[in-house]
Amino acid sequence: MFAEERQLLIAELVADNGRVTVSDLAARFGITPETVRRDLDTLEDVRQLRRVHGGAVSMSRLSMSEPSIAERQTQRQDEKSRIAAAALALVPTSRTASIILDAGTTTARLADRLMAWTPSSPGDQLLVVTNALPIAALLVGNDEIQLHILGGRVRGLTSAIVGASTTSQLEALRVDIAFIGANGIDAEFGLSTPDTVEAAVKTAMVRSARRVVALADSSKLDQETLVRFAALRDIDTLITDVPPSPKLAAALDAADVEIVIA
């Protein structure tokens, strides 16, 4: 097999599996570890992967890799819709209820469903607190919902409102449920996101809620990004689209987290 053919296969393996190890590739192709390392160096030079200790990872798995909200809106739409439908069932139906909707495309799907929210009984109130401009733009059209938009600086990549003033406002709140998104949920690292300022806001949201519900499709499971904003024990419920891996499921069970498969 020519080196170019082997490197193409290695690039495909990384794209499919997210990561590869030098030892596994050496055994698979019957080559020396030194040859594998040269192949990985070549592929890194053309931005097909990122070298890490003992192997390589997909460029999409870098700790600070973060697609824009426009890109994410077109990804895993069916899974996010199912997760949002399951989350809607958890929205409190008490006479006065309050929720937080974190910035993100899955929480935006929940906001889509809340556009049709009406009181089940006269006088029922639902307060929605959000730091997401797209979510605020959706919910402002429903006169039945009391909308509270957190103030701060708008982060262009995600259209999220962030900053010290945002977190300080959250510190003064105690809502019934916070619906939180995450870029990664890992058995050991917990819930994470690539950006430090968004992580600070997410942490404040978690602390401000009586109940925390994480909304994450299966592509986020067993993943780590740069900044941890919550431990598994800090959330009460995880809504996702497939059962977590045995390792993550065991960690969630040990942290007493309810798992809902949408």
Side-chain angles (χ1 to χ4, degrees):
M1 180 182 294
F2 292 112
E4 292 80 2
E5 295 176 291
R6 185 177 62 246
Q7 290 164 12
L8 179 61
L9 292 173
I10 291 173
E12 291 176 350
L13 285 170
V14 173
D16 290 342
N17 301 319
R19 66 179 299 123
V20 292
T21 66
V22 170
S23 57
D24 285 346
L25 292 175
R28 176 185 287 266
F29 293 107
I31 56 178
T32 65
E34 291 74 19
T35 301
V36 172
R37 293 187 184 97
R38 286 196 295 271
D39 284 345
L40 297 180
D41 288 340
T42 299
L43 290 168
E44 184 176 46
D45 287 343
V46 295
R47 299 184 61 81
Q48 292 294 306
L49 50 76
R50 181 67 174 266
R51 293 280 275 114
V52 295
H53 180 70
V57 297
S58 166
M59 294 294 287
S60 65
R61 293 205 175 184
L62 300 183
S63 65
M64 293 184 68
S65 175
E66 185 176 14
S68 69
I69 193 167
E71 292 176 284
R72 286 185 285 143
Q73 283 173 340
T74 63
Q75 299 170 348
R76 307 182 72 85
Q77 296 182 56
D78 180 62
E79 292 89 339
K80 292 175 182 178
S81 293
R82 299 202 310 269
I83 292 169
L88 182 65
L90 301 183
V91 173
T93 56
S94 56
R95 185 141 180 105
T96 56
S98 57
I99 65 173
I100 285 176
L101 292 185
D102 180 26
T105 52
T106 307
T107 48
R109 292 298 178 100
L110 175 55
D112 281 336
R113 283 157 175 75
L114 287 173
M115 288 175 64
W117 184 89
T118 56
S120 56
S121 301
D124 286 359
Q125 298 177 7
L126 177 63
L127 171 67
V128 178
V129 179
T130 188
N131 71 323
L133 291 182
I135 288 175
L138 285 172
L139 296 181
V140 73
N142 186 343
D143 293 335
E144 301 288 355
I145 287 177
Q146 299 181 51
L147 179 63
H148 180 93
I149 305 172
L150 296 167
R153 174 177 63 85
V154 177
R155 184 170 179 247
L157 186 66
T158 58
S159 296
I161 300 169
V162 296
S165 63
T166 314
T167 57
S168 65
Q169 291 168 70
L170 286 162
E171 289 168 0
L173 299 178
R174 181 68 72 231
V175 300
D176 296 312
I177 299 183
F179 293 97
I180 305 293
N183 295 74
I185 299 182
D186 180 76
E188 297 174 355
F189 194 57
L191 286 75
S192 60
T193 194
D195 185 74
T196 55
V197 291
E198 286 212 36
V201 173
K202 289 175 183 288
T203 296
M205 287 179 171
V206 169
R207 291 175 177 170
S208 73
R210 293 185 174 92
R211 182 181 182 186
V212 179
V213 179
L215 309 182
D217 67 70
S218 53
S219 69
K220 313 295 176 56
L221 306 183
D222 297 306
Q223 301 297 316
E224 299 174 4
T225 56
L226 184 64
V227 187
R228 176 173 57 197
F229 65 84
L232 294 183
R233 64 178 178 273
D234 295 324
I235 66 173
D236 299 286
T237 303
L238 167 65
I239 305 180
T240 187
D241 56 287
V242 301
S245 66
K247 181 180 180 181
L248 180 55
L252 290 165
D253 182 64
D256 199 26
V257 177
E258 175 191 21
I259 302 172
V260 176
I261 308 301

